[in-house]
Amino acid sequence: MATSKSEGPGLELIHRPRRLRMNPILRGMVEETRLSPSDFIYPMFVEEGRKGRRDREEVASMPGVFRQSIDAALKEMEQCLEAGVRAVILFGIPGRKDPMGSEAYAAKGIVQRAVSAAKRTFGADLLVVTDVCLCEYTDHGHCAPVRKGEILNDEGVTIHARTALSHAVAGADVVAPSDMMDGRVGAIRVTLDDAGFTHVPIMAYSAKYASGFYGPFREAADSTPQFGDRRSYQMNPANAEEALKEVELDLEEGADIVMVKPALPYLDIIRLVKDAFAVPVAAYNVSGEYAMVKAAARLGWIEHDRVMMESLTAIKRAGASIILTYFAKDAAALLRG
Ligand code: PBG
């Protein structure tokens, strides 16, 4: 088919969208979505008892991601800041687990100490978010206590509120409950407010799906359930309307930011939530999404940087203004050129 009048007869097009794609400067001007290092939150794993042992250990299925001591984590936070990434979310791997996950809310727990160290070192330059959950801390690996095989919602909520408070006391800038128990956002809000932490925002993992894409994370955080799965609390991947209900409830309970997780297989959910509510939406580009890109790139089957940037751009285009991603440092470095 002819592309211009001079090339052939017959085609008299008025609309030629390609006109805006010919010149790179103009292409930049009409670009609708632009990533920035300030969009990213970098997830990090701090592990108890690493001092003296090897300071950090790479997660086999997540090249470039480490389980590390607080000292090693501080060094990596420094690298984040150098790359322009100004926010991290911390996950803890405790030295010991028990049925109630008591290390999750211990005043001197691994996350609490990591938060204090980070705030002491970087102050207001670095936003420190904490993941509030129990599955890394319970011996059964579920996100709430268990009795006779039943996952106990209300007991879980009480512990999550206590955990969130311990993070705030340690200096956390934002708390992010990821457990999916009913009512935890409200309980955390009341608990924080009663203790004088009215200024600490809650970023709720609101639409968190029971996903196979968390596989590498569970290796990293040592949080695989010892029996059953998480389908009685995390959402069914087949459901979209239910995501709106979960988001609405979390907002009623006081969530400041709502999250959709995973990201790439759930771009439709991100868009639905963004269109339905006037609040910031975060999306978690999870461990399995990261591992797939790394693995395929290692095999030479895809171009790593190109696929990384395309994925993150798609998540932002879908409506997420905040992206939690293990690619944060690498993507930020590319963006800065
Ligand atoms: C804890 C939690 C999980 C992730 C974040 N917080 C794992 C899970 O629910 O099993 C997953 C993050 C990732 O896969 O990168 N509840």
Side-chain angles (χ1 to χ4, degrees), residues 204-244:
Y205 289 70
S206 299
K208 178 175 178 181
Y209 287 87
S211 171
F213 287 90
Y214 308 149
F217 173 95
R218 292 183 185 170
E219 181 202 336
D222 191 17
S223 65
T224 308
Q226 296 306 300
F227 69 90
D229 54 43
R230 301 209 205 291
R231 274 182 262 215
S232 77
Y233 40 111
Q234 299 180 348
M235 283 181 54
N236 181 346
N239 293 359
E241 264 178 21
E242 192 185 8
L244 294 177

Side-chain angles (χ1 to χ4, degrees), residues 44-255:
M44 301 181 71
F45 301 95
V46 280
E47 185 175 5
E48 189 77 68
R50 279 237 149 245
K51 237 185 157 67
R53 283 203 280 152
R54 245 183 329 137
D55 219 17
R56 55 185 214 154
E57 185 184 341
E58 195 169 38
V59 179
S61 53
M62 301 175 72
V65 174
F66 296 84
R67 299 160 65 128
Q68 52 194 339
S69 68
I70 293 175
D71 284 349
L74 291 174
K75 281 186 208 142
E76 203 182 9
M77 289 172 194
E78 179 87 52
Q79 293 167 11
C80 283
L81 288 172
E82 278 162 18
V85 175
R86 302 190 61 189
V88 296
I89 180 164
L90 300 183
F91 296 90
I93 305 153
R96 99 193 141 73
K97 301 175 188 251
D98 59 31
M100 303 302 277
S102 58
E103 278 298 305
Y105 49 85
K108 294 274 175 257
I110 181 69
V111 164
Q112 290 78 359
R113 281 187 289 121
V115 169
S116 318
K119 293 314 293 182
R120 221 180 305 121
T121 312
F122 303 108
D125 290 340
L126 184 73
L127 188 85
V128 179
V129 184
T130 56
D131 182 86
V132 177
C133 199
L134 285 181
C135 55
E136 301 108 272
Y137 302 90
T138 50
D139 49 14
H140 44 74
H142 280 289
C143 307
V146 173
R147 192 189 307 127
K148 294 192 190 127
E150 192 194 335
I151 321 281
L152 302 174
N153 190 88
D154 300 14
E155 287 81 347
V157 166
T158 305
I159 302 178
H160 292 123
R162 192 166 166 189
T163 302
L165 178 58
S166 73
H167 293 172
V169 169
D173 294 302
V174 179
V175 293
S178 68
D179 54 287
M180 287 299 277
M181 295 300 132
D182 295 329
R184 88 276 203 217
V185 172
I188 290 172
R189 187 69 273 157
V190 168
T191 304
L192 290 178
D193 290 355
D194 284 351
F197 294 97
T198 52
H199 54 284
V200 173
I202 299 174
M203 176 167 74
Y205 289 70
S206 299
K208 178 175 178 181
Y209 287 87
S211 171
F213 287 90
Y214 308 149
F217 173 95
R218 292 183 185 170
E219 181 202 336
D222 191 17
S223 65
T224 308
Q226 296 306 300
F227 69 90
D229 54 43
R230 301 209 205 291
R231 274 182 262 215
S232 77
Y233 40 111
Q234 299 180 348
M235 283 181 54
N236 181 346
N239 293 359
E241 264 178 21
E242 192 185 8
L244 294 177
K245 178 167 93 180
E246 284 284 3
V247 166
E248 188 172 9
L249 290 172
D250 282 358
L251 290 172
E252 279 171 10
E253 291 177 29

